[in-house]
Amino acid sequence: MISTGSIAEIQALISKFKSEGKKIGFVPTMGALHDGHLSLVATAKEKVDIVVCSIYVNPTQFNNQDDLKQYPRNIEADKGLLAENGCDVLFLPSDEVMYAGRNTIKFEFGDLDKVMEGKFRPGHFSGVALIVSKFFNIVLPDYGFFGQKDLQQLTIIKKLVEELFFNLEIITVPIKREPHGLAMSSRNERLSKEDREKAKIFSIALTEAKSILMEKQSSEAAKSKVESLFANHKAELEYFEIVSDKDLLTKTENYLAPDTVLCIAGFMGNVRLIDNMYLSGV
Ligand code: AMP
């Protein structure tokens, strides 16, 4: 695995690979890698010749400076995992390389960045869109691999690619979960052992809400089930939404259609977690 923090070096490598007719897959991450990230790398490895990963904790997508400071960083372990799992090129840029003191461009996505995460993390998706655009322009991948775990991010990135004519295809990778159901996340490292066990309530609540809707009961019944499960487990619910994956707007009917996805966010202790589940499938 070649590892570099230099844009010029990455661009030289990419043009060499492209001149050899190789297809490039790109997996952006913020590090503190777990099996969820590695499933993106494995999916990319199957589809392309060269897998490029990035590890960069992007300051412009954090609206809370404490969250940025506390974000887990495990760079040496991450390098080992990526090398063992088939990453060919690792891009590890510094803030100076990515921003050089600039942070002027803002993105707006209409309703897409106002709902759910957008309500609780103002500016977050503008920062995500900015860094992903920079990466796409540097790496020029044929495919970008993103996790369903961050469903709203995925919808926004698809929109970004479509509207800015980025010449690549976005591939969605399903959510990887711990054995008791908790969606894998770098933030899980910040949970105490006890809270990590209790955090399974996020996926349990989604599963219960899903079966209520599949039994054709009301969305109110699903919501009140989620609220009572959270209250009983001393977890704090920020939102539970039943939305379409197309526009992220609340659905009020036709729940059994394939676009319906249940999204949840909240706190276990002082760690903020998100999860989602399609009504059809997982
Ligand atoms: P992050 O490092 O949290 O920015 O995540 C980098 C990529 O990994 C994003 O596309 C995430 O959606 C994806 N990802 C994070 N957690 C999981 C998971 N549990 N299963 C699958 N993909 C994930």
Side-chain angles (χ1 to χ4, degrees), residues 27-37 39-40 56 61 71 145-151 153-154 173-177 182-186:
V27 180
T29 81
M30 296 206 298
L33 301 180
H34 49 68
D35 282 355
H37 296 111
S39 73
L40 269 67
Y56 180 59
Q61 71 189 69
Y71 199 84
F145 296 83
F146 290 84
Q148 182 205 313
K149 163 82 186 346
D150 298 279
L151 183 100
Q153 167 174 290
L154 190 59
V173 180
I175 302 175
K176 193 98 176 164
R177 297 180 178 281
L182 174 65
M184 289 184 178
S185 165
S186 307

Side-chain angles (χ1 to χ4, degrees), residues 153-209:
Q153 167 174 290
L154 190 59
T155 306
I156 284 174
I157 286 168
K158 284 184 181 158
K159 190 81 181 162
L160 181 78
V161 166
E162 183 192 325
E163 296 217 354
L164 295 187
F165 304 107
F166 280 112
N167 188 18
L168 60 98
E169 190 184 327
I170 299 297
I171 307 288
T172 305
V173 180
I175 302 175
K176 193 98 176 164
R177 297 180 178 281
E178 294 190 3
H180 70 12
L182 174 65
M184 289 184 178
S185 165
S186 307
R187 289 169 197 273
N188 295 353
E189 285 187 21
R190 290 180 44 220
L191 292 165
S192 66
K193 196 159 174 257
E194 193 186 320
D195 279 354
R196 195 159 177 148
E197 178 62 27
K198 276 167 54 193
K200 66 184 177 202
I201 198 61
F202 281 72
S203 62
I204 291 172
L206 288 172
T207 309
E208 297 259 337

Side-chain angles (χ1 to χ4, degrees), residues 4 26 33 43 76 111 154 187 189 191 225 270:
T4 176
F26 178 51
L33 301 180
T43 309
E76 287 313 315
D111 287 336
L154 190 59
R187 289 169 197 273
E189 285 187 21
L191 292 165
K225 181 74 191 179
N270 61 354

Side-chain angles (χ1 to χ4, degrees), residues 24 27 42 56 61 70 86 98 100 110 113 122 131 137 147 153 157 170 173 242 250 262 265:
I24 313 286
V27 180
Y56 180 59
Q61 71 189 69
Q70 287 172 22
M98 292 316 289
D113 63 353
I131 198 68
N137 279 327
Q153 167 174 290
I157 286 168
I170 299 297
V173 180
I242 305 165
T250 302
L262 313 183

